Amino acid sequence: SLDYYLNDNHSIGIGGSISTRNSDRIASSKTIISDANNTNTLFSENSFDRERKNFNINPYYEYKTDTDRLIIDFNYVDFVNDNTNILSDVAGSTVAFDDKKYIQDGKYSIKTYRADYTKTFSDNFKLSAGTRFADVKTDNDLQSFEEKNNNFDKVDDESSRFVIDETIFALYSKINASFGEWSFSGGLRYEDSNTDGTSTFLKNGTLTTEVQKRPIQKVFPSASISRKLTEVLGASLSYSYRIRRPSYNSLNSFQTFLDPFSAGEGNPKLSPSFTNNYQFNLTYEGQPFFTIGYSKTEDVIFQLIQQDNATAQIRQRDVNVENNANWNFR
């Protein structure tokens, strides 16, 4: 990174990073499949070959005085995540299994534009506001192969492509104020985002494209108020409304195999979760020592593990649970 100070109030800078990571590993597994009459065992190995490359650059401008601060910056991330894994049986198995090969290549491009302004009117009052725009594109390609006559032949019905195109526009503001023994902080954030997930795959021999849309237009408020009770004791009460988006990997419908019968898979129909969070604190010298918290989440993201009894296949994926309420005491 490099910073250059134009004068006492103005500066520009640029930061960046490049990283690569290559990893190879082999996981061995033993799977026992039982029913009322028989017990069979599959010994298998899963060899992984992964290559990751990450490039990031972040130029910015800053204006700063005793009472004003303005930051304008741009952040660009280019991430490549290529994976190849081969599932193969090992001698001693009593279950027939054809070796499988999966090539999963992923490309991620994230551009973020941000402007933040803070005005300090006095030691007791500060106002800040800003805006942010993010443009995200991901492209994941899965190619599935099965061994036939010592060669891996592509299985078109199990191969697919998944592309995400997402934009997020946000406006936000925050007030910090204190008066006597009281302190207050409050903020508002408005978001207008659109996420399109496009799946391309073969369905009954026909190339099919399905688009899953996820528009969001919401206001997210937050507020907290605190009061000094004595020189060292204090109390505070806070509220916030938050969003948690599913990860891009969890939206990807591809399967990532641990062994021939166990895999994690994505869920392109996942929705974000929204949480109302309330909290009360007693503090000692500004640090909480007793807390009561309550939160209620809509469409909470939950990790579900299911087994198909007919095929013995186990799948782990994220799903939405309608409601989740939580009390906590610390």
Side-chain angles (χ1 to χ4, degrees):
S1 62
L2 176 69
D3 298 311
Y4 180 71
Y5 294 86
L6 303 172
N7 53 42
D8 291 342
N9 304 124
H10 300 269
S11 63
I12 57 175
I14 189 169
S17 65
I18 299 175
S19 64
T20 61
R21 178 181 178 182
N22 298 313
S23 63
D24 301 289
R25 67 183 177 92
I26 296 176
S28 300
S29 66
K30 173 184 176 182
T31 305
I32 299 173
I33 305 169
S34 303
D35 58 27
N37 302 312
N38 300 293
T39 298
N40 289 291
T41 304
L42 172 65
F43 297 96
S44 62
E45 287 185 346
N46 195 353
S47 63
F48 296 87
D49 183 4
R50 294 176 175 173
E51 181 179 357
R52 297 179 179 180
K53 299 177 182 177
N54 185 70
F55 170 73
N56 166 245
I57 190 166
N58 175 217
Y60 81 91
Y61 160 79
E62 181 179 20
Y63 169 76
K64 188 176 182 180
T65 67
D66 292 338
T67 59
D68 298 87
R69 188 185 185 197
L70 172 66
I71 296 178
I72 301 173
D73 73 0
F74 168 72
N75 194 40
Y76 173 71
V77 177
D78 184 78
F79 178 59
V80 176
N81 184 24
D82 294 341
N83 300 285
T84 300
N85 69 294
I86 299 175
L87 282 169
S88 54
D89 67 343
V90 180
S93 298
T94 60
V95 178
F97 176 70
D98 293 325
D99 292 355
K100 305 262 188 185
K101 179 180 179 180
Y102 301 94
I103 299 176
Q104 301 188 44
D105 294 340
K107 298 179 176 63
Y108 304 78
S109 173
I110 303 173
K111 301 174 185 176
T112 306
Y113 309 82
R114 179 177 66 108
D116 287 330
Y117 174 72
T118 301
K119 175 72 172 180
T120 303
F121 293 91
S122 68
D123 292 339
N124 299 322
F125 186 72
K126 183 168 70 173
L127 176 65
S128 58
T131 183
R132 181 176 179 268
F133 178 77
D135 184 8
V136 181
K137 288 179 171 57
T138 76
D139 188 344
N140 292 273
D141 183 45
L142 168 67
Q143 298 180 57
S144 177
F145 301 84
E146 189 171 69
E147 187 181 35
K148 299 292 183 184
N149 301 319
N150 296 321
N151 290 314
F152 280 107
D153 296 333
K154 187 176 180 182
V155 183
D156 291 328
D157 288 345
E158 296 179 1
S159 303
S160 60
R161 185 182 180 194
F162 184 66
V163 176
I164 291 178
D165 190 352
E166 179 178 71
T167 59
I168 304 172
F169 172 71
L171 291 170
Y172 43 87
S173 62
K174 187 176 182 180
I175 295 175
N176 294 89
S178 59
F179 34 93
E181 303 297 324
W182 294 87
S183 298
F184 172 79
S185 175
L188 280 177
R189 180 178 181 272
Y190 169 75
E191 176 181 311
D192 185 347
S193 65
N194 290 277
T195 305
D196 293 346
T198 304
S199 300
T200 304
F201 56 94
L202 278 180
K203 186 175 183 179
N204 299 324
T206 302
L207 190 63
T208 303
T209 298
E210 292 183 355
V211 180
Q212 188 77 26
K213 292 184 175 291
R214 191 185 69 197
I216 298 172
Q217 292 179 322
K218 277 184 176 288
V219 175
F220 299 90
S222 62
S224 68
I225 188 167
S226 60
R227 188 184 191 283
K228 281 187 176 183
L229 303 177
T230 69
E231 286 297 319
V232 293
L233 292 178
S236 66
L237 183 66
S238 63
Y239 164 78
S240 64
Y241 184 50
R242 300 173 182 170
I243 180 175
R244 179 195 170 195
R245 292 180 177 81
S247 67
Y248 296 119
N249 277 346
S250 66
L251 292 170
N252 193 331
S253 58
F254 299 168
Q255 297 183 354
T256 303
F257 282 87
L258 305 175
D259 60 53
F261 287 90
S262 306
E265 65 179 11
N267 180 5
K269 296 184 179 181
L270 267 181
S271 299
S273 59
F274 299 93
T275 302
N276 287 285
N277 188 71
Y278 307 84
Q279 188 163 293
F280 170 76
N281 296 307
L282 289 176
T283 61
Y284 181 83
E285 293 186 345
Q287 300 300 314
F289 68 89
F290 175 76
T291 298
I292 300 175
Y294 172 76
S295 64
K296 186 172 183 181
T297 303
E298 298 175 2
D299 292 328
V300 65
I301 297 173
F302 176 77
Q303 199 168 78
L304 179 68
I305 298 176
Q306 294 175 299
Q307 183 174 33
D308 185 332
N309 291 330
T311 63
Q313 297 284 341
I314 297 172
R315 293 294 180 265
Q316 176 179 298
R317 64 185 182 126
D318 288 337
V319 298
N320 289 113
V321 178
E322 185 175 358
N323 287 296
N324 174 269
N326 177 63
W327 282 96
N328 68 84
F329 304 88
R330 295 194 300 273

